[in-house]
Amino acid sequence: MQLIRTEGAGKTDHPTLPGIMRFSTLLIFLVFILAFTACNRGTIYETGKAFRDQLWHKDSTLVFKPVVEDTSQVINIGFSLEHNNDYPYSNLWLFVDVESPDGKMQTDTIEYFLAEPDGQWIGKGSDKERTLYWLYRRDVKLSSPGQLTFSVTQGMRRDELPGIQSFSLWIEKAELSEDSSER
């Protein structure tokens, strides 16, 4: 049998193995970058305080002191709470005092809900432990850079709140929508 070579024989329209590998590597790299940026929502600050014996005492004030230097950045400020089934209420009252870098004080009394009216816990987690994320302030624009001081106290009528595992303050870069205004 005689092999006859015709013009163009040996050439293929299929990509070569090195080309496929380069494309695959680039694709994996892009997926990694997208996943990383999707997970990191632009967090500027996040610190939590754990409660010994999972009890938040009424006289225990949590103090957070984030430093925000970039005043051109619009930010969101929020809290997160981890609790378990030992928590006896469907809500949580908080007293929040905020001191801005220029010394101005603001005091808020806030009620957050931990459960639906039917008693189902809100938030992420298992049947035994839940984590909730609450937005405290949206689209904040600081007038001066520096340290903010947040003092947070539980405002329930009980001296000790059982089932509270941790409480956190977080600050993230805000994505301004068309209907938002700078403050």
Side-chain angles (χ1 to χ4, degrees):
M1 175 182 241
Q2 187 179 20
L3 289 175
I4 302 174
R5 185 173 193 118
T6 59
E7 193 165 318
K11 291 186 179 178
T12 175
D13 290 335
H14 302 294
T16 62
L17 186 57
I20 292 172
M21 290 178 65
R22 274 192 299 249
F23 178 75
S24 297
T25 303
L26 179 62
L27 186 61
I28 290 169
F29 178 73
L30 288 175
V31 168
F32 175 76
I33 293 297
L34 288 174
F36 179 74
T37 56
C39 293
N40 183 358
R41 300 177 309 173
T43 302
I44 296 171
Y45 175 90
E46 185 170 14
T47 298
K49 309 277 184 172
F51 293 97
R52 187 180 338 181
D53 301 324
Q54 298 181 2
L55 292 171
W56 190 351
H57 296 270
K58 192 174 197 97
D59 60 354
S60 176
T61 300
L62 306 178
V63 178
F64 303 95
K65 295 186 175 197
V67 175
V68 179
E69 295 295 336
D70 185 1
T71 58
S72 68
Q73 182 67 53
V74 178
I75 58 175
N76 293 330
I77 303 169
F79 302 114
S80 61
L81 172 81
E82 293 179 58
H83 71 92
N84 61 34
N85 284 337
D86 292 337
Y87 187 75
Y89 303 107
S90 63
N91 66 339
L92 174 65
W93 284 94
L94 298 175
F95 301 126
V96 181
D97 294 320
V98 182
E99 183 178 356
S100 63
D102 58 7
K104 293 181 183 174
M105 290 291 295
Q106 177 180 342
T107 300
D108 288 311
T109 301
I110 305 165
E111 179 183 21
Y112 287 116
F113 292 96
L114 283 70
E116 298 287 349
D118 66 0
Q120 287 290 100
W121 290 121
I122 300 171
K124 297 179 181 182
S126 67
D127 290 338
K128 296 180 182 180
E129 298 178 343
R130 303 300 274 182
T131 301
L132 290 98
Y133 296 90
W134 298 306
L135 185 62
Y136 172 62
R137 292 282 180 249
R138 177 187 309 260
D139 298 338
V140 175
K141 186 151 176 58
L142 297 177
S143 58
S144 59
Q147 179 177 287
L148 295 158
T149 301
F150 292 83
S151 301
V152 182
T153 307
Q154 62 102 337
M156 302 298 279
R157 294 177 188 219
R158 217 169 157 168
D159 287 339
E160 294 180 339
L161 285 179
I164 303 291
Q165 297 169 303
S166 70
F167 188 88
S168 300
L169 170 76
W170 49 265
I171 300 174
E172 67 182 12
K173 295 176 186 175
E175 293 183 22
L176 286 176
S177 59
E178 290 180 22
D179 62 344
S180 319
S181 60
E182 293 185 353
R183 295 176 200 172

